[in-house]
Every structure is written in structure tokens, then in C-alpha cells.
Amino acid sequence: MPKPHIVRKGDTLAKIAEAAFGDRKLAAALAAYNGLADTKDIRIGQAVQLPGKAELKPPKARPAGARAGVAPWPPAPHGMDAIVATFGDIRGFARDDGTPDPKWETQFMARAALPFPIPLDWDRSKSASGIRCHKLIAPLLEAVFTDIVGKGLQGAVQTYGGGYNWRMKRGQAKPSTHSWGIAIDLNARTNAMGTAGDMDPRLVELFEGYGFVWGGRWSGSNKDPMHFQYCSGY
Ligand SMILES: [Zn+2]
């Protein structure tokens, strides 16, 4: 499991790599592991995930469209205030009838193209070729699924259960992370809420390496092994 290091004043990725691995030259690999644009792409308070040294690979090419020096996606926010600051103030778009103001979707939602089709959980005769999600994480989801193919884990992704979906958290009066388009559900048939499920641990590790939180780590009836979300503390 990667361990988070919270970036402090004066930290550089080279210093963090030196302290964690005894090798400043692993800064670029650490940047790549965290989905950062380059070794300067850190801010105070940001969580940098530190995997085992053996897991650090040479830096990957930046996803197409990423500009030099600009991170292709924001770091995963922690808590409601940070989620709102990063992905939009959802409270201003909720209508009394339980539907979103259409501006929510036109301003914030986009589509991540999938490198392979995934059968729909609710109708396996059809497949998803893309994921409707927040526009800021579309390149991140594309990178994650490209990595899934690269690591030979395509077979672990059996069904697609949904990305963007305007709704409340199950049994609660606050918006689900699906409402921001920053969560996706996979393999729902065998990963019902409150169960241990059968999610492939290599898939979990891959998503977590990109900063996703896996609902299978939550406890009791909150346990949600089909669910991956790009934020924590919520
Ligand atoms: Zn979910």
C-alpha cells in the first residue's frame, strides 16, 4: 500500500524521494506515479503517495493534450470544502424537484473514452465505450484505463455500473460523489454495498495509485466495493 506524504514548506520531490528511497533521482518516477505533470508540480498540503521502491517505474509519457508544466488533472481533494473548490459548488445547482440545473452538466460534465468496451451492469448485451464524468478527471480516467490495459488487468473489469449520476448518497441527505462525476462503479453484480465483494486487488492498487479512494475499505454497511472515487474524507 502506498503511504501518503503531505507536502510541507520547502519540500521538493527530490527531497521526498531522497528521504523515502535514498535516491533523489527517483523524483521523476515519483511524479509519474502520482500523475503529476513534472517534478515541480507539488503544492504545500498536497498528499504525495509513496509506494514501495520497486513499484516506481520510469516516467510515463504525459497524456495527449497535457500542456508542458500544467498537471493534466487536479490532485484528489479531501473533504466537502475542497471537493466544492475543485469540482464545483453543487449546492447552487440542486433544484427542489431533486434534479440538477441543466447548467451543472453543460458546465462540468464530459466524456472519458475507454480503450476497451465494458458491458453495462444493467444490460450486459450492451457496452459502454466511454464514461460520463467531471471534465477535469476525463484525462485521468483515460490514463487509468489505459494503464489497466497496459498491466493486463482488462479481464478484471467485468461490468460498468455508472459514472456521473445526480443523486444523494445512499440513505443520506448529501450528494453522492457520483453527482460530481468523480466516482465510478465497477463489477456491481458481485460487489454489492455492505459485502466484501470480489474486486481484484490489483485493480484496487492501480486506482489507489492514481489517488482514488476505494469504497471497499469503508466499514460495515458503508462498505461499497464496486465504488472508486477521486476524493477522500467524504
Ligand atoms: Zn458508487
Side-chain angles (χ1 to χ4, degrees):
M1 286 306 306
K3 290 195 205 82
H5 169 89
I6 306 302
V7 175
R8 291 180 293 251
K9 198 168 182 223
D11 267 353
T12 63
L13 273 184
K15 276 192 202 169
I16 295 167
E18 166 101 70
F21 310 113
D23 186 356
R24 301 174 68 84
K25 291 198 192 77
L26 286 172
L30 194 55
Y33 181 87
N34 281 274
L36 306 176
D38 57 43
T39 56
K40 296 189 186 70
D41 183 27
I42 56 170
R43 303 175 221 170
I44 292 166
Q46 178 180 343
V48 171
Q49 298 295 334
L50 301 174
K53 193 172 178 179
E55 287 172 69
L56 280 181
K57 308 256 161 55
K60 288 175 279 199
R62 268 203 296 278
R67 283 170 293 146
V70 177
W73 48 77
H78 181 84
M80 177 72 168
D81 290 346
I83 296 168
V84 161
T86 305
F87 295 116
D89 193 348
I90 203 162
R91 295 162 295 197
F93 294 84
R95 300 196 295 199
D96 291 342
D97 66 358
T99 63
D101 182 326
K103 288 196 196 97
W104 176 251
E105 296 177 9
T106 53
Q107 280 180 24
F108 295 113
M109 295 307 139
R111 181 178 177 279
L114 286 166
F116 58 95
I118 309 175
L120 300 181
D121 192 63
W122 57 93
D123 179 359
R124 280 190 278 183
S125 71
K126 299 192 178 101
S127 292
S129 60
I131 294 174
R132 200 160 184 226
C133 62
H134 196 285
K135 62 183 181 184
L136 293 179
I137 70 155
L140 168 61
L141 283 174
E142 289 178 355
V144 166
F145 279 88
T146 300
D147 204 6
I148 286 171
V149 174
K151 292 196 165 76
L153 295 175
Q154 199 171 324
V157 180
Q158 287 145 15
T159 58
Y160 172 65
Y164 167 67
N165 182 10
W166 180 273
R167 62 174 167 79
M168 295 296 117
K169 274 192 168 188
R170 289 189 189 96
Q172 296 181 40
K174 56 182 192 173
S176 159
T177 48
H178 287 280
S179 301
W180 275 278
I182 56 172
I184 70 163
D185 294 333
L186 296 174
N187 306 350
R189 280 161 191 260
T190 51
N191 289 278
M193 257 192 123
T195 71
D198 65 355
M199 193 62 73
D200 190 316
R202 296 169 301 170
L203 207 54
V204 172
E205 188 183 15
L206 189 148
F207 270 95
E208 289 179 339
Y210 282 89
F212 281 81
V213 164
W214 178 47
R217 298 208 185 280
W218 298 335
S219 54
S221 60
N222 285 328
K223 202 175 191 62
D224 194 1
M226 73 179 79
H227 180 92
F228 295 92
Q229 65 180 41
Y230 193 61
C231 64
S232 56
Y234 186 83

